[in-house]
Amino acid sequence: MKKFYLIRHAQSESNAGLVIRENHLINLTELGQAQALTLCDWLCEYLTKSQETINGVFISPYIRTHQTALSYLHKTGFDATVMPSLQEFNMLTFERISGRELSEIRTMAQAFWQMPNDHKDSEQTDSFDDFVARVRTARQTFGEMADGSYVVFGHGMWIGMLIWQLLHQDSKQVLDKATFATFELTIRPDNYDVYLLTIDGTTESIAKLRDNRGGVSLVM
């Protein structure tokens, strides 16, 4: 059996309403740095109590996931492996949204969700089809790993897509872009929330293990 502790990164500049740099270069805020420390303490305590041995740590190519992982890496001595398929959905071109009000960016995002699945805002961004395929690639990679426990620092919408795919498997509903956008808003993880993805043979299940208020609730 394989267990993956999926963690959304701590508060980033964009989470705080600052649109000041390209997606992959967005940093944690001062609050985000404090959240990362809290997360590290909680995760180490949880894993110690459960007597689990961690077999590997993974981060996305985006700097905010590495910054979130840093305290845990320092405390445990692990090195993190960058997994490209953990990359967050990058749907709007930075040059188009730079300097705009958040209300304008939200309007642009809403328009994006109404476009065809293969639409890209630019060659530097993703289509919805790209995003669906990327999360499926990560799931396949997870499934091919050796049995054990892993810590994964990732992104909110990415976790939402994973849950969406597990709910609908490979049905056409996975490709219903507008419905996914509505669904994702209802279940989007808060910063530094923790989910547990379990893979037992061909069976995948996910539960919300911890939210940043300390609560625990089952997702699937």
Side-chain angles (χ1 to χ4, degrees):
M1 186 170 68
K2 308 168 186 70
K3 297 170 73 173
F4 298 88
Y5 292 91
L6 305 178
I7 302 165
R8 186 188 178 193
H9 60 80
Q11 188 193 64
S12 69
E13 293 165 329
S14 62
N15 299 147
L18 304 174
V19 184
I20 55 179
R21 66 186 91 247
E22 294 179 68
N23 204 339
H24 65 289
L25 297 175
I26 293 170
N27 294 303
L28 296 188
T29 62
E30 186 175 340
L31 173 59
Q33 298 285 357
Q35 290 174 343
L37 287 171
T38 299
L39 170 68
C40 172
D41 291 342
W42 180 88
L43 186 59
C44 288
E45 181 180 357
Y46 180 90
L47 294 173
T48 297
K49 285 182 178 179
S50 61
Q51 298 184 322
E52 283 194 62
T53 298
I54 295 301
N55 300 92
V57 179
F58 299 93
I59 59 175
S60 89
Y62 286 6
I63 192 170
R64 55 193 180 271
T65 63
H66 181 259
Q67 291 172 335
T68 304
L70 209 52
S71 296
Y72 179 72
L73 298 175
H74 285 164
K75 190 166 186 175
T76 61
F78 278 107
D79 291 322
T81 300
V82 176
M83 184 183 292
S85 55
L86 293 175
Q87 179 180 310
E88 180 63 302
F89 191 18
N90 186 28
M91 63 182 180
L92 296 177
T93 309
F94 176 70
E95 286 74 17
R96 288 189 61 215
I97 63 176
S98 178
R100 292 181 180 270
E101 298 291 333
L102 286 177
S103 59
E104 295 179 279
I105 297 173
R106 292 192 187 98
T107 298
M108 294 167 70
Q110 289 168 359
F112 176 89
W113 289 113
Q114 303 306 314
M115 301 297 287
N117 283 9
D118 61 355
H119 169 76
K120 290 186 177 185
D121 196 49
S122 74
E123 287 305 310
Q124 288 72 50
T125 58
D126 297 321
S127 70
F128 184 70
D129 285 341
D130 291 335
F131 186 44
V132 170
R134 185 156 65 240
V135 177
R136 282 177 171 159
T137 296
R139 288 172 57 201
Q140 181 178 352
T141 301
F142 289 160
E144 292 170 352
M145 289 183 186
D147 285 354
S149 298
Y150 303 87
V151 177
V152 180
F153 292 87
H155 301 270
M157 195 175 293
W158 192 100
I159 294 173
M161 174 54 72
L162 173 67
I163 295 170
W164 180 249
Q165 290 185 8
L166 294 182
L167 282 170
H168 298 291
Q169 296 301 320
D170 291 318
S171 72
K172 291 182 179 179
Q173 286 177 288
V174 169
L175 299 177
D176 189 338
K177 184 177 178 180
T179 304
F180 168 74
T182 301
F183 167 82
E184 191 274 329
L185 286 174
T186 67
I187 58 90
R188 181 178 298 175
D190 288 331
N191 294 120
Y192 74 108
D193 278 358
V194 183
Y195 288 71
L196 178 60
L197 171 68
T198 303
I199 303 178
D200 191 359
T202 59
T203 302
E204 298 168 274
S205 60
I206 191 166
K208 190 173 188 179
L209 188 62
R210 178 194 185 275
D211 64 34
N212 64 25
R213 293 168 301 279
V216 178
S217 58
L218 181 69
V219 173
M220 246 185 87

